[in-house]
Amino acid sequence: MTPRPKRRHKVEAPAPPTPTILWVFLWLLALPTHDGRATAQVVPPSGPIAPASQIDLPRLVDLCSQRLGLRIDYDPALVKGQVTLRIPDALSDEELWALTNQLLAQRGFTTVRASGAQTLSVIKAADAPQVARVESGRPGAGEPVIGQAGFASLVVAPGRRTAKELAEAIRPLLTKGVGSATPLGDSRLLLISDFTPRLIELQGLFERLEAPAAAMAVEEVAIANVSPAALAAAVMQVAQKRDAMAGERLPGEVIAAPSGSGVVLIAPEATAPAWRDLIARFDQREAVETRNYVPRVFPARDVARLVEEAAKGAPGLGGKGDDRWRLVVDDLTGTLMVTATPTQHVQVAELMERLDSAQGGPLPMRSFPVRNRPVSEMIATLSRLIEAGVLESSGAESAREAVRTGGEQRTIRDLGTGATIPAGSPPSSSLLPGAGAAPPPAAAGRPSAAGDARASLRLTGDEATNTLIAVGEPRLLAQLESLLAMLDVRQPQVMLEAVLVSMTDTDALNLGVELEKLGNVGDAAYKIASLFGLSTSANGVRSVADAAGFTGAVLSPGEFSVVVKALQAINKGRSLSNPKVLVANNEQARFSSVLQQPFVRTDTTSSTATSSFGGSDSAGTTISVRPQIAQGDHLVLTYSINLSSFVGTPAAAGLPPPKQQNSVDSVATIPDGHVVVVGGLELESESTSTSQIPLLGDVPVVGELFKSRSVGKSRTRFFVFIRASVLRHGSFEDLKFISAKDAAAMRVPDGWPEVEPRIIR
């Protein structure tokens, strides 16, 4: 079935009548109808309306259309009901139209002007947002006017606020179930739909919301004596108490500055001076006092370093805000002496308590790689130190108790006024919240017996990786780490070059004359001779063998002979030995170059002589040195040098040859890089031998013919020179240079490939 079209009742508005005719017409409309239904009675402006007068809602719409000359359409089947009017006086046209729209809204209806339409329509208020046209300006421009729709939609372009912020601000003021505020995408436009009087009110609210805010002061106020967080909390707490008592809030807020050197003030410019004055009143110095803290688990220096690191940049711990902060480490008693304010002492005590709470946990284990010494040697050294009590902390606890008790005394002095607070008196009150007297210092306690039992150190080593593994308290591990830093260092090396010089000078002069006279006296033959072994006689004839030197002979066989022999032997010898050895600091080095000389032993019996190996004797150079690098690259050198050599043939068969041995053994301090003599031996000898004929040899000049003279001089010198060069370069560049220099002199290849040019034909 096709639905029956809705019948619309359309009222054409005639020309506006005069007021007298209008009220007469209204009076006629108010008369009872033929169906007996009561209608509202409208009286002239001079007469009052009867109490509790009622009128049909469609009749009221018709009345407004006729009186105001408006074209209004509505559905009689939809617009139903009666309204009660209590009007003391006559209504004006504007008041009548406003009253009609108000009564329609109370019954869930409203008047709208559709887009492009010239008439007003009465519809349900819930359907009005979809029908009402969008207004571009302020509806009514102040007061309601005749013909203005009771419901409208308005587009607003916010200035200082966003559309979303403005919608959230006005949403509680919209008519419930009817009004709406919707941002139009990202266009910064806001669509508002509601009854026209409410839209007019919201327009005024928009002007107040868009009004420029009061000038605000945002500035950072520098402080010098209190931490920013504590000062901000104290100022805001006092401001809240004052607002509660005064009943009026002082706008503004104070927060800690991110820089850590002040607070940030956010307040209107009118109230900013009051906030600055409040900040200045709270930025006052506290009195300082000295307290002692004894770390129970970790070393005092490590704890002091941690406290100092925590204090950097934190005015509450004296980093930037208080120049009176002092922290002294007493290594003798393991005590930290801290001079600070009570607030700062609270923070130090909390830090000490947190560190000391680690005492009940398992013993930590650390591994230390040993890079320059064998790990077994390092463990042996550390074990001796542990046995000596160097790394044991339990025994020193009782010895420090007396010193610790005396160190707990406190001296409080206000550096601002110079006044001294007696010992035991409470510290000055602080304006900061929670800045009362600090708890007793950490030094008041004593480590328990269980803590003393833990004061031990167990060491083991992994020789495969040359790593030292230690298990013990952090305090002992820190001591062990400092000891390893001193013990496990790469020792510099020393290149020792010894020069052994042996020099021998000899000068021997032999001069002799032999005379022989043979003759007969009668039958008797005689012989007169002056012989010194220069010649021999065979068959009565004197002969001279070939020998070195000058030899002269005058022979007259059977009568006389004269033999003259002269020889001077000059010998100068120099023997140089240059051993070189590389040795580490404080290490023993030994160099030996020895020649083994065998000798034969002969056993003689009555019938045979048997020769066999009789043994051997050694001669050569032996050096033993131990350098110790002292301050200024001087070396304390402990050395022993032996130089021996064979100097002749054996005195008899089966005996070793004669040997000369020179040795130097001493401890000396020598400079780095210089050649110095560390020992030497010089021996001089002179000998004169004369064989002569008695009496005749003493005759001057002539006596030289009757003698044989031998003069000898010898001089033997032995010196030891040493040059020590300390090699400290981290990448051994100095050792490489010395090695390359000696390798080039000995024509030893350095192992690098040689690139030779190739000729390409």
Side-chain angles (χ1 to χ4, degrees), residues 8-14 58 61-67 69-74 119:
R8 307 290 293 178
H9 180 71
K10 193 171 185 181
V11 179
E12 295 293 340
V61 174
D62 294 341
L63 174 63
C64 289
S65 175
Q66 295 175 2
R67 176 180 172 179
L70 299 177
R71 299 177 63 183
I72 304 175
D73 61 352
Y74 62 92
T119 62

PDB file of all heavy atoms in Angstrom, residues 8-14 58 61-67 69-74 119:
ATOM      1  N   ARG A   8       0.370  18.926   4.839  1.00  0.00           N
ATOM      2  CA  ARG A   8       1.027  20.090   5.424  1.00  0.00           C
ATOM      3  C   ARG A   8       0.018  21.244   5.487  1.00  0.00           C
ATOM      4  O   ARG A   8      -0.713  21.499   4.507  1.00  0.00           O
ATOM      5  CB  ARG A   8       2.231  20.526   4.584  1.00  0.00           C
ATOM      6  CG  ARG A   8       3.228  19.415   4.299  1.00  0.00           C
ATOM      7  CD  ARG A   8       3.971  19.006   5.544  1.00  0.00           C
ATOM      8  NE  ARG A   8       4.823  20.080   6.000  1.00  0.00           N
ATOM      9  CZ  ARG A   8       5.554  19.982   7.097  1.00  0.00           C
ATOM     10  NH1 ARG A   8       5.542  18.876   7.831  1.00  0.00           N
ATOM     11  NH2 ARG A   8       6.308  21.005   7.471  1.00  0.00           N
ATOM     12  N   HIS A   9      -0.008  21.904   6.621  1.00  0.00           N
ATOM     13  CA  HIS A   9      -0.899  23.051   6.791  1.00  0.00           C
ATOM     14  C   HIS A   9      -0.071  24.299   6.646  1.00  0.00           C
ATOM     15  O   HIS A   9       0.881  24.522   7.400  1.00  0.00           O
ATOM     16  CB  HIS A   9      -1.571  23.006   8.173  1.00  0.00           C
ATOM     17  CG  HIS A   9      -2.500  24.147   8.401  1.00  0.00           C
ATOM     18  ND1 HIS A   9      -3.729  24.282   7.750  1.00  0.00           N
ATOM     19  CD2 HIS A   9      -2.372  25.241   9.213  1.00  0.00           C
ATOM     20  CE1 HIS A   9      -4.320  25.379   8.154  1.00  0.00           C
ATOM     21  NE2 HIS A   9      -3.519  25.992   9.045  1.00  0.00           N
ATOM     22  N   LYS A  10      -0.380  25.069   5.661  1.00  0.00           N
ATOM     23  CA  LYS A  10       0.416  26.238   5.339  1.00  0.00           C
ATOM     24  C   LYS A  10      -0.397  27.473   5.640  1.00  0.00           C
ATOM     25  O   LYS A  10      -1.551  27.591   5.241  1.00  0.00           O
ATOM     26  CB  LYS A  10       0.805  26.214   3.869  1.00  0.00           C
ATOM     27  CG  LYS A  10       1.883  27.219   3.513  1.00  0.00           C
ATOM     28  CD  LYS A  10       2.375  26.968   2.089  1.00  0.00           C
ATOM     29  CE  LYS A  10       3.527  27.869   1.758  1.00  0.00           C
ATOM     30  NZ  LYS A  10       4.013  27.650   0.370  1.00  0.00           N
ATOM     31  N   VAL A  11       0.204  28.379   6.357  1.00  0.00           N
ATOM     32  CA  VAL A  11      -0.465  29.626   6.742  1.00  0.00           C
ATOM     33  C   VAL A  11       0.184  30.752   5.987  1.00  0.00           C
ATOM     34  O   VAL A  11       1.418  30.921   6.090  1.00  0.00           O
ATOM     35  CB  VAL A  11      -0.391  29.870   8.263  1.00  0.00           C
ATOM     36  CG1 VAL A  11      -1.064  31.178   8.622  1.00  0.00           C
ATOM     37  CG2 VAL A  11      -1.044  28.708   8.995  1.00  0.00           C
ATOM     38  N   GLU A  12      -0.618  31.477   5.197  1.00  0.00           N
ATOM     39  CA  GLU A  12      -0.109  32.639   4.482  1.00  0.00           C
ATOM     40  C   GLU A  12      -0.265  33.852   5.379  1.00  0.00           C
ATOM     41  O   GLU A  12      -1.343  34.115   5.929  1.00  0.00           O
ATOM     42  CB  GLU A  12      -0.892  32.855   3.169  1.00  0.00           C
ATOM     43  CG  GLU A  12      -0.715  31.726   2.166  1.00  0.00           C
ATOM     44  CD  GLU A  12       0.689  31.666   1.649  1.00  0.00           C
ATOM     45  OE1 GLU A  12       1.421  32.669   1.738  1.00  0.00           O
ATOM     46  OE2 GLU A  12       1.097  30.587   1.146  1.00  0.00           O
ATOM     47  N   ALA A  13       0.758  34.583   5.515  1.00  0.00           N
ATOM     48  CA  ALA A  13       0.729  35.758   6.391  1.00  0.00           C
ATOM     49  C   ALA A  13       0.206  36.964   5.630  1.00  0.00           C
ATOM     50  O   ALA A  13       0.806  37.338   4.617  1.00  0.00           O
ATOM     51  CB  ALA A  13       2.118  36.039   6.942  1.00  0.00           C
ATOM     52  N   PRO A  14      -0.918  37.555   6.088  1.00  0.00           N
ATOM     53  CA  PRO A  14      -1.421  38.788   5.452  1.00  0.00           C
ATOM     54  C   PRO A  14      -0.610  39.989   5.897  1.00  0.00           C
ATOM     55  O   PRO A  14       0.331  39.855   6.657  1.00  0.00           O
ATOM     56  CB  PRO A  14      -2.871  38.852   5.938  1.00  0.00           C
ATOM     57  CG  PRO A  14      -2.835  38.159   7.256  1.00  0.00           C
ATOM     58  CD  PRO A  14      -1.813  37.073   7.149  1.00  0.00           C
ATOM     59  N   PRO A  58      -0.651  24.159  17.942  1.00  0.00           N
ATOM     60  CA  PRO A  58      -0.804  24.614  16.555  1.00  0.00           C
ATOM     61  C   PRO A  58      -1.471  25.977  16.464  1.00  0.00           C
ATOM     62  O   PRO A  58      -1.119  26.789  15.613  1.00  0.00           O
ATOM     63  CB  PRO A  58      -1.674  23.532  15.921  1.00  0.00           C
ATOM     64  CG  PRO A  58      -1.444  22.314  16.757  1.00  0.00           C
ATOM     65  CD  PRO A  58      -1.280  22.833  18.145  1.00  0.00           C
ATOM     66  N   VAL A  61       1.054  28.635  16.984  1.00  0.00           N
ATOM     67  CA  VAL A  61       1.901  28.837  15.807  1.00  0.00           C
ATOM     68  C   VAL A  61       1.153  29.672  14.771  1.00  0.00           C
ATOM     69  O   VAL A  61       1.724  30.585  14.152  1.00  0.00           O
ATOM     70  CB  VAL A  61       2.335  27.480  15.225  1.00  0.00           C
ATOM     71  CG1 VAL A  61       3.083  27.655  13.916  1.00  0.00           C
ATOM     72  CG2 VAL A  61       3.208  26.727  16.221  1.00  0.00           C
ATOM     73  N   ASP A  62      -0.159  29.386  14.603  1.00  0.00           N
ATOM     74  CA  ASP A  62      -0.937  30.165  13.653  1.00  0.00           C
ATOM     75  C   ASP A  62      -1.033  31.618  14.086  1.00  0.00           C
ATOM     76  O   ASP A  62      -0.983  32.550  13.262  1.00  0.00           O
ATOM     77  CB  ASP A  62      -2.339  29.578  13.517  1.00  0.00           C
ATOM     78  CG  ASP A  62      -2.309  28.175  12.890  1.00  0.00           C
ATOM     79  OD1 ASP A  62      -1.262  27.854  12.239  1.00  0.00           O
ATOM     80  OD2 ASP A  62      -3.269  27.413  13.059  1.00  0.00           O
ATOM     81  N   LEU A  63      -1.201  31.824  15.386  1.00  0.00           N
ATOM     82  CA  LEU A  63      -1.281  33.179  15.913  1.00  0.00           C
ATOM     83  C   LEU A  63      -0.023  33.967  15.595  1.00  0.00           C
ATOM     84  O   LEU A  63      -0.081  35.115  15.144  1.00  0.00           O
ATOM     85  CB  LEU A  63      -1.536  33.126  17.424  1.00  0.00           C
ATOM     86  CG  LEU A  63      -1.499  34.475  18.164  1.00  0.00           C
ATOM     87  CD1 LEU A  63      -2.613  35.395  17.654  1.00  0.00           C
ATOM     88  CD2 LEU A  63      -1.637  34.249  19.666  1.00  0.00           C
ATOM     89  N   CYS A  64       1.167  33.362  15.828  1.00  0.00           N
ATOM     90  CA  CYS A  64       2.434  34.056  15.548  1.00  0.00           C
ATOM     91  C   CYS A  64       2.561  34.335  14.060  1.00  0.00           C
ATOM     92  O   CYS A  64       3.053  35.402  13.648  1.00  0.00           O
ATOM     93  CB  CYS A  64       3.601  33.212  16.031  1.00  0.00           C
ATOM     94  SG  CYS A  64       3.758  33.126  17.810  1.00  0.00           S
ATOM     95  N   SER A  65       2.118  33.368  13.230  1.00  0.00           N
ATOM     96  CA  SER A  65       2.246  33.574  11.797  1.00  0.00           C
ATOM     97  C   SER A  65       1.387  34.753  11.331  1.00  0.00           C
ATOM     98  O   SER A  65       1.830  35.556  10.505  1.00  0.00           O
ATOM     99  CB  SER A  65       1.838  32.295  11.063  1.00  0.00           C
ATOM    100  OG  SER A  65       1.832  32.489   9.663  1.00  0.00           O
ATOM    101  N   GLN A  66       0.152  34.853  11.890  1.00  0.00           N
ATOM    102  CA  GLN A  66      -0.727  35.936  11.492  1.00  0.00           C
ATOM    103  C   GLN A  66      -0.292  37.262  12.068  1.00  0.00           C
ATOM    104  O   GLN A  66      -0.319  38.277  11.395  1.00  0.00           O
ATOM    105  CB  GLN A  66      -2.168  35.602  11.912  1.00  0.00           C
ATOM    106  CG  GLN A  66      -2.749  34.385  11.197  1.00  0.00           C
ATOM    107  CD  GLN A  66      -4.113  34.009  11.723  1.00  0.00           C
ATOM    108  OE1 GLN A  66      -4.659  34.683  12.623  1.00  0.00           O
ATOM    109  NE2 GLN A  66      -4.685  32.939  11.177  1.00  0.00           N
ATOM    110  N   ARG A  67       0.100  37.264  13.346  1.00  0.00           N
ATOM    111  CA  ARG A  67       0.457  38.535  13.977  1.00  0.00           C
ATOM    112  C   ARG A  67       1.783  39.069  13.465  1.00  0.00           C
ATOM    113  O   ARG A  67       1.916  40.266  13.226  1.00  0.00           O
ATOM    114  CB  ARG A  67       0.504  38.362  15.499  1.00  0.00           C
ATOM    115  CG  ARG A  67       0.959  39.629  16.216  1.00  0.00           C
ATOM    116  CD  ARG A  67       0.983  39.418  17.706  1.00  0.00           C
ATOM    117  NE  ARG A  67       1.606  40.589  18.351  1.00  0.00           N
ATOM    118  CZ  ARG A  67       1.768  40.726  19.660  1.00  0.00           C
ATOM    119  NH1 ARG A  67       1.345  39.747  20.482  1.00  0.00           N
ATOM    120  NH2 ARG A  67       2.329  41.809  20.159  1.00  0.00           N
ATOM    121  N   GLY A  69       3.377  38.104  10.663  1.00  0.00           N
ATOM    122  CA  GLY A  69       3.505  38.096   9.225  1.00  0.00           C
ATOM    123  C   GLY A  69       4.575  37.128   8.738  1.00  0.00           C
ATOM    124  O   GLY A  69       5.307  37.457   7.789  1.00  0.00           O
ATOM    125  N   LEU A  70       4.683  35.953   9.349  1.00  0.00           N
ATOM    126  CA  LEU A  70       5.699  34.967   8.991  1.00  0.00           C
ATOM    127  C   LEU A  70       5.063  33.820   8.242  1.00  0.00           C
ATOM    128  O   LEU A  70       3.905  33.458   8.481  1.00  0.00           O
ATOM    129  CB  LEU A  70       6.390  34.426  10.262  1.00  0.00           C
ATOM    130  CG  LEU A  70       7.126  35.452  11.123  1.00  0.00           C
ATOM    131  CD1 LEU A  70       7.679  34.782  12.378  1.00  0.00           C
ATOM    132  CD2 LEU A  70       8.245  36.100  10.326  1.00  0.00           C
ATOM    133  N   ARG A  71       5.829  33.220   7.357  1.00  0.00           N
ATOM    134  CA  ARG A  71       5.387  32.030   6.633  1.00  0.00           C
ATOM    135  C   ARG A  71       5.941  30.813   7.357  1.00  0.00           C
ATOM    136  O   ARG A  71       7.146  30.537   7.315  1.00  0.00           O
ATOM    137  CB  ARG A  71       5.870  32.081   5.190  1.00  0.00           C
ATOM    138  CG  ARG A  71       5.326  33.288   4.423  1.00  0.00           C
ATOM    139  CD  ARG A  71       5.897  33.339   3.016  1.00  0.00           C
ATOM    140  NE  ARG A  71       5.476  32.178   2.258  1.00  0.00           N
ATOM    141  CZ  ARG A  71       5.878  31.927   1.003  1.00  0.00           C
ATOM    142  NH1 ARG A  71       6.730  32.728   0.401  1.00  0.00           N
ATOM    143  NH2 ARG A  71       5.436  30.841   0.378  1.00  0.00           N
ATOM    144  N   ILE A  72       5.064  30.060   8.022  1.00  0.00           N
ATOM    145  CA  ILE A  72       5.473  28.921   8.847  1.00  0.00           C
ATOM    146  C   ILE A  72       4.675  27.719   8.380  1.00  0.00           C
ATOM    147  O   ILE A  72       3.435  27.775   8.279  1.00  0.00           O
ATOM    148  CB  ILE A  72       5.211  29.183  10.350  1.00  0.00           C
ATOM    149  CG1 ILE A  72       5.920  30.457  10.796  1.00  0.00           C
ATOM    150  CG2 ILE A  72       5.664  27.989  11.181  1.00  0.00           C
ATOM    151  CD1 ILE A  72       5.604  30.840  12.227  1.00  0.00           C
ATOM    152  N   ASP A  73       5.374  26.619   8.085  1.00  0.00           N
ATOM    153  CA  ASP A  73       4.683  25.389   7.746  1.00  0.00           C
ATOM    154  C   ASP A  73       4.988  24.334   8.787  1.00  0.00           C
ATOM    155  O   ASP A  73       6.068  24.341   9.383  1.00  0.00           O
ATOM    156  CB  ASP A  73       5.062  24.907   6.348  1.00  0.00           C
ATOM    157  CG  ASP A  73       6.538  24.620   6.232  1.00  0.00           C
ATOM    158  OD1 ASP A  73       7.287  24.950   7.194  1.00  0.00           O
ATOM    159  OD2 ASP A  73       6.994  24.072   5.209  1.00  0.00           O
ATOM    160  N   TYR A  74       4.010  23.449   9.029  1.00  0.00           N
ATOM    161  CA  TYR A  74       4.167  22.404  10.035  1.00  0.00           C
ATOM    162  C   TYR A  74       3.210  21.289   9.690  1.00  0.00           C
ATOM    163  O   TYR A  74       2.296  21.447   8.882  1.00  0.00           O
ATOM    164  CB  TYR A  74       3.914  22.936  11.461  1.00  0.00           C
ATOM    165  CG  TYR A  74       2.531  23.462  11.690  1.00  0.00           C
ATOM    166  CD1 TYR A  74       1.512  22.631  12.180  1.00  0.00           C
ATOM    167  CD2 TYR A  74       2.248  24.793  11.427  1.00  0.00           C
ATOM    168  CE1 TYR A  74       0.248  23.137  12.380  1.00  0.00           C
ATOM    169  CE2 TYR A  74       0.998  25.296  11.631  1.00  0.00           C
ATOM    170  CZ  TYR A  74      -0.005  24.467  12.100  1.00  0.00           C
ATOM    171  OH  TYR A  74      -1.268  24.965  12.294  1.00  0.00           O
ATOM    172  N   THR A 119      10.794  29.938   4.013  1.00  0.00           N
ATOM    173  CA  THR A 119       9.828  29.757   5.086  1.00  0.00           C
ATOM    174  C   THR A 119      10.490  29.069   6.248  1.00  0.00           C
ATOM    175  O   THR A 119      11.554  28.449   6.127  1.00  0.00           O
ATOM    176  CB  THR A 119       8.639  28.923   4.593  1.00  0.00           C
ATOM    177  OG1 THR A 119       9.106  27.623   4.207  1.00  0.00           O
ATOM    178  CG2 THR A 119       7.957  29.605   3.406  1.00  0.00           C
TER     179      THR A 119
END
